[in-house]
Structure formats: C-alpha cells, structure tokens
Amino acid sequence: ILVSPETGLRYEIGKQIGQGGFGQVYLATRLGRSGAVPVDVCIKVSDHQETWLREAYFGLVLNDHPRAIRVYDRFPLSTANGRLLYCLVLECAADGDLSAFLERSGKPFSETAARREIAGVLEVLRKLHRGQLLHRDLTPMNVFVCDGHRLKLGDFGIVRQQSDARGVTARTMNLMTAPSELIDRATPKWQARDDVYQVGQLLGMVMRGDARARLRTADVRKLACSDQLKEIIYRCVGERRKRYESADEMIDALRT
C-alpha cells in the first residue's frame, strides 16, 4: 500500500506491467473515496528525480488535453532504507501501449482511423511545439490505446525546451525511431521536424499493423492506403530538409 502525502490517497500495488530506462510501471487500485482519481490506475515508480519532475510538470500543463495520458497524483516516497522513490499515478490505458496492441491484434488501422488517431496525437505535439518544446520520444511504447481504440500520448520524461529554432543538442534518444541523421551524428540538433519523423513512423506502423521495426522509405509504397497518405508518410520519414516543419503542418495534411 502506498500513501500519497500530496493527496492523502492510498493505492494498492498490483502486478508490474512495464519497465523502461527511468522506472517501472505497476497496475494499482485506488482505495477509499475520490472524485478525482478513478479506481483503476497505473503507478510509475522511479529514482530519477529530474525525469519525474518533468513528467509531473507536463501532467499539469496537459491536464485537460483529451489526447494526453492523465497524471492524477504525484509524490516522493521514502523507503525503509532512506532511499527516495518518485511516484506518478497515471491513467490506465485499456489496451496498453501501441506496440503491444498491434502485436496482439496483428491488424492495420483503417486509413480513416489512422488519420484521425495520429492527428489526435499530433494535437498534443502541436501544444508542445507552440511552446518551443520538443518531445523526442514518440515511440509506439509511449503511445497508449485507451477505450474505443483512442490513442493518447504519454511519457514526457525527455521533453526539452529549445532556446532558438536550431533545436536542442541530441544526446538521449530512442534508437528504434530516432532519425538516422541524428543516430549517425550527421546533424547535432534535434528539431521539431525530427518529432514529425517519429510521428511519420507511428503512422506507417499503424497502417502496416506492425510496430516491431522502423519503416524505411522503400516500405512506404507497399502500404495499403491512398497515394496521398503515402506521400505524407514518405515526406515524414524521407529527406530531412523536406519534412513537415511542425505538428501544425502535418495535421493540416492529414485532415485534407
């Protein structure tokens, strides 16, 4: 049982359902009454204070956004040996992350659903980009499938603010979906167009029905979708200088 000194709420920890570089995630049950926190939640536990602070902050900034995973509670926890753990109480996605969902279903999204759901994720990214913030970790493990197969974006642990249009120095990145130019150190700065590259990967994966490997430009022509959607995906994952420069541009293309 964990007790939040912030809200006074108690949570019973269940099984572990995930683990990443910055912590572990458990199913949990909220005990007692609360009008703000549902009974079934997830709790992310980490010993990385900086990442926890960042995720807690963006949980507040995006609190009412319909496409962002909700952060209901946040608190540090002192263990018996004096070690500090940092906890986030999160919205529980009914069908887990996008990677696991596609592996279970083995089916691609329809083009209509893919356009709608990826545009929804881009709405969160648009809010970040307008504030000069870069997500940098838009992977199928950080996009979650909620009720009605509604996609929501989570995990804001490595979001960074850029001081100018040149971007932020690319040190920490997920090798699965990071642009090859950054992996190869051909360019030193992560920019909004590199977030767009990752969303293009997500779009290609849901149209392919498989998130186990990144999409290559040669794979785009094999996707079962309209030529216009293929052009959008190709522009995202192709030559860097030709990508959409922000979430705004890609949303417009998807909704045309």
Side-chain angles (χ1 to χ4, degrees), residues 60-181:
L60 293 171
V61 170
L62 299 167
N63 183 54
D64 296 322
H65 201 295
R67 291 296 190 152
I69 288 291
R70 292 284 304 277
V71 179
Y72 296 112
D73 201 353
R74 56 203 66 75
F75 54 91
L77 189 71
S78 181
T79 63
N81 62 7
R83 180 185 174 204
L84 269 181
L85 295 176
Y86 301 96
C87 304
L88 294 171
V89 179
L90 305 167
E91 176 182 356
C92 194
D95 289 299
D97 67 53
L98 181 60
S99 178
F101 176 78
L102 289 176
E103 187 172 354
R104 285 195 309 272
S105 70
K107 296 178 181 178
F109 282 32
S110 69
E111 180 166 337
T112 300
R115 285 175 179 268
R116 180 187 65 243
E117 295 307 312
I118 295 299
V121 170
L122 280 163
E123 290 285 357
V124 186
L125 193 60
R126 167 157 61 185
K127 187 165 185 175
L128 297 179
H129 285 176
R130 287 180 174 178
Q132 297 299 307
L133 296 158
L134 304 175
H135 189 283
R136 305 192 305 143
D137 201 17
L138 292 146
T139 72
M141 286 76 73
N142 291 335
V143 173
F144 298 89
V145 186
C146 298
D147 292 333
H149 295 171
R150 186 176 176 86
L151 298 186
K152 294 190 178 185
L153 182 58
D155 201 337
F156 300 88
I158 65 168
V159 172
R160 290 290 186 278
Q161 184 162 24
Q162 54 182 358
S163 56
D164 55 51
R166 290 178 296 176
V168 298
T169 302
R171 294 190 181 94
T172 304
M173 67 185 82
N174 187 306
L175 298 181
M176 178 184 179
T177 58
S180 56
E181 301 95 335

Side-chain angles (χ1 to χ4, degrees), residues 38-53:
V39 173
D40 297 317
V41 293
C42 292
I43 293 188
K44 185 174 183 178
V45 182
S46 173
D47 56 5
H48 293 263
Q49 184 189 53
E50 182 181 343
T51 303
W52 172 76
L53 285 169

Side-chain angles (χ1 to χ4, degrees), residues 202-226:
L202 292 172
L203 180 54
M205 288 171 179
V206 299
M207 289 308 305
R208 186 174 60 183
D210 186 349
R212 289 174 295 180
R214 76 164 64 213
L215 200 76
R216 308 291 178 181
T217 51
D219 300 327
V220 176
R221 70 185 65 179
K222 303 172 188 174
L223 296 174
C225 60
S226 67

Side-chain angles (χ1 to χ4, degrees), residues 209-255:
D210 186 349
R212 289 174 295 180
R214 76 164 64 213
L215 200 76
R216 308 291 178 181
T217 51
D219 300 327
V220 176
R221 70 185 65 179
K222 303 172 188 174
L223 296 174
C225 60
S226 67
D227 288 343
Q228 195 248 4
L229 189 60
K230 288 178 183 178
E231 287 179 16
I232 292 172
I233 298 170
Y234 191 90
R235 184 171 172 183
C236 290
V237 304
E239 195 175 350
R240 190 172 190 249
R241 65 184 179 87
K242 295 181 180 179
R243 285 177 202 150
Y244 301 106
E245 293 190 8
S246 68
D248 269 323
E249 285 192 14
M250 190 174 175
I251 289 171
D252 289 343
L254 283 173
R255 290 180 173 165

